[in-house]
């Protein structure tokens, strides 16, 4: 489909964006479904986010995705937030509804859908999760909204620890069906004990990603048992040391690339009301 005077624009903002696979994934899906949309990426620094959001409104774009470091700044520029985005305090998808910006966070739902895609339902389960940054917060809040029974959050006592405390408090106050505890990630014995009582263990830290590739938070692999699901948010490399060790011990594993795919599928649905051609997109861009 050729770009015309009627073509509607969507885009990604953040910095850097040059490496992003989103323009290819969305433009392929628009072409495949015959939708008259085009998707671009714009390098926008955090302090430029409010001006960028105002400009996109003036241009009446259909919606936009937000990546680091703008996710929190753009949250403050939305006219309305989904429940998940409000609790997470960050948006990755903003939709133009009659000239109003509605902010969503599909990262956590992407993780939940990725688990479902691997045959793992989170409702009613107990999960131990390591991390308290953007990915960890989105997963903790959304899994609680999706009915997870109990969360044991393990956070390092670094600059993200305040965020861990705030997230645990928000879940405790706003999602009463989920029991949530916070532990110091350096308490290795407690981590193994909680994983032993959990259905799912998720690494939502940067450990496993360059320059920490080849590292895993789980040094004693005896903690892995059949029946435990192990998921990792890190998608580069596709198979982290954590996932390789868990697979070797017979655990079911959910790789981070699934979260990346499904957060896009959820955003596509918010923009268009349609299903992305998931299998073609997976084969082309996520194999
Ligand atoms: P962030 O900077 O917001 O948070 C980083 C987290 O890692 C913090 O909790 C920090 O305490 C922890 N951390 C860093 N170094 C650590 C170490 N040595 N030991 C223990 N903990 C450590 O980052 P983020 O946006 O949450 O991203 C985290 C990871 O998730 C990255 O690898 C990112 O690529 C990945 N990610 C994946 C997806 C996906 O769709 N699969 C989406 C978002 C992020």
């Amino acid at each position: 489909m050729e770009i015309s005077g009627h073509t509607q624009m969507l885009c990604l903002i953040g910095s850097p964006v040059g490496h992003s696979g989103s323009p290819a994934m969305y433009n392929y899906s628009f072409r495949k479904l015959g939708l008259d949309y085009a998707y671009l990426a714009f390098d926008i620094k955090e302090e430029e986010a409010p001006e960028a959001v105002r400009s996109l409104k003036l241009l009446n774009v259909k919606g936009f995705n937000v990546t680091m470091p703008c996710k929190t700044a753009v949250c403050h520029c939305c006219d309305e937030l989904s429940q998940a985005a409000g609790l997470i305090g960050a948006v990755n998808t903003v939709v133009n509804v009659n000239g109003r910006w509605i902010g969503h966070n599909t990262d956590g739902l992407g993780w939940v859908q990725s688990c479902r895609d691997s045959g793992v339902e989170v409702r009613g389960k107990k999960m131990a999760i390591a991390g308290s940054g953007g990915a960890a917060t989105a997963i903790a809040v959304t899994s609680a909204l999706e009915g997870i029974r109990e969360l044991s959050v393990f956070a390092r006592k670094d600059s993200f620890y305040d965020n861990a405390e705030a997230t645990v408090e928000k879940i405790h106050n706003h999602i009463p069906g989920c029991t949530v505890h916070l532990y110091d990630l350096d308490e290795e014995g407690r981590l193994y004990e909680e994983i032993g009582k959990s259905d799912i263990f998720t690494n939502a830290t940067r450990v496993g990603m360059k320059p920490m590739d080849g590292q895993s938070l789980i040094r004693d692999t005896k903690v892995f048992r059949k029946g435990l699901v192990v998921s990792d948010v890190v998608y580069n490399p596709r198979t982290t040391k954590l996932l390789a060790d868990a697979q070797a011990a017979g655990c079911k594993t959910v790789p981070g690339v699934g979260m990346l795919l499904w957060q896009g599928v959820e955003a596509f649905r918010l923009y268009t009301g349609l299903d992305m051609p998931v299998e073609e997109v997976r084969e082309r861009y996520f194999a």
Side-chain angles (χ1 to χ4, degrees), residues 131-136 156 158 160 185 204-207 209 212 217 233-235 256 259-260:
S132 52
R156 208 167 60 145
D158 57 13
F160 290 91
L185 184 57
T205 74
R206 291 174 178 272
V207 177
M209 185 178 100
M212 289 183 275
L217 288 175
V233 296
V234 174
Y235 55 84
M259 175 176 169
L260 194 62

Side-chain angles (χ1 to χ4, degrees), residues 5-245:
H6 298 287
T7 305
Q8 285 190 279
M9 190 180 86
L10 294 106
C11 64
L12 170 69
I13 64 169
S15 186
V17 290
H19 66 288
S20 171
S22 292
M25 172 176 82
Y26 285 104
N27 285 318
Y28 171 79
S29 302
F30 295 151
R31 278 199 308 277
K32 191 85 191 167
L33 298 185
L35 299 172
D36 193 8
Y37 301 143
Y39 191 105
L40 293 170
F42 298 110
D43 197 300
I44 300 291
K45 311 281 183 288
E46 189 173 14
E47 63 277 12
E48 298 167 334
E51 196 184 342
V53 172
R54 277 195 300 278
S55 308
L56 292 171
K57 194 176 241 183
L58 183 68
L59 296 175
N60 199 26
V61 305
K62 188 158 182 65
F64 59 96
N65 288 115
V66 189
T67 189
M68 295 305 290
C70 298
K71 289 182 176 189
T72 304
V74 173
C75 191
H76 298 300
C77 303
C78 291
D79 298 303
E80 195 181 319
L81 296 171
S82 70
Q83 187 186 14
L87 288 171
I88 295 162
V91 297
N92 75 334
T93 305
V94 181
V95 187
N96 180 343
V97 179
N98 302 323
R100 299 182 77 238
W101 287 138
I102 314 297
H104 299 265
N105 190 313
T106 68
D107 283 332
L109 205 50
W111 178 82
V112 170
Q113 292 292 73
S114 165
C115 287
R116 288 192 180 129
D117 191 40
S118 302
V120 178
E121 176 53 54
V122 303
R123 180 169 292 276
K125 301 280 167 46
K126 174 179 164 81
M127 172 162 73
I129 177 167
S132 52
T137 306
I139 292 172
V141 166
T142 312
S143 61
L145 287 171
E146 290 287 309
I148 213 158
R149 186 186 85 241
E150 198 173 335
L151 282 172
S152 295
V153 177
F154 285 83
R156 208 167 60 145
K157 292 218 162 164
D158 57 13
S159 58
F160 290 91
Y161 198 78
D162 287 353
N163 190 49
E165 288 180 321
T167 303
V168 165
E169 198 179 326
K170 279 189 250 180
I171 293 173
H172 181 74
N173 291 340
H174 296 277
I175 316 174
C178 177
T179 305
V180 58
H181 304 281
L182 176 60
Y183 302 105
D184 182 349
L185 184 57
D186 283 341
E187 284 183 45
E188 207 171 355
R190 181 62 75 97
L191 175 64
Y192 295 159
E193 198 181 304
E194 286 300 306
I195 293 175
K197 292 190 273 182
S198 295
D199 304 290
I200 304 168
F201 170 65
T202 294
N203 170 49
T205 74
R206 291 174 178 272
V207 177
M209 185 178 100
K210 270 195 171 63
M212 289 183 275
D213 48 333
Q215 294 181 33
S216 166
L217 288 175
I218 306 301
R219 292 190 301 176
D220 183 355
T221 57
K222 284 202 289 295
V223 73
F224 296 131
R225 61 180 204 281
K226 284 200 176 63
L228 177 72
V229 175
V230 177
S231 93
D232 205 330
V233 296
V234 174
Y235 55 84
N236 190 10
R238 291 283 197 262
T239 305
T240 56
K241 176 166 168 47
L242 172 74
L243 294 182
D245 288 348

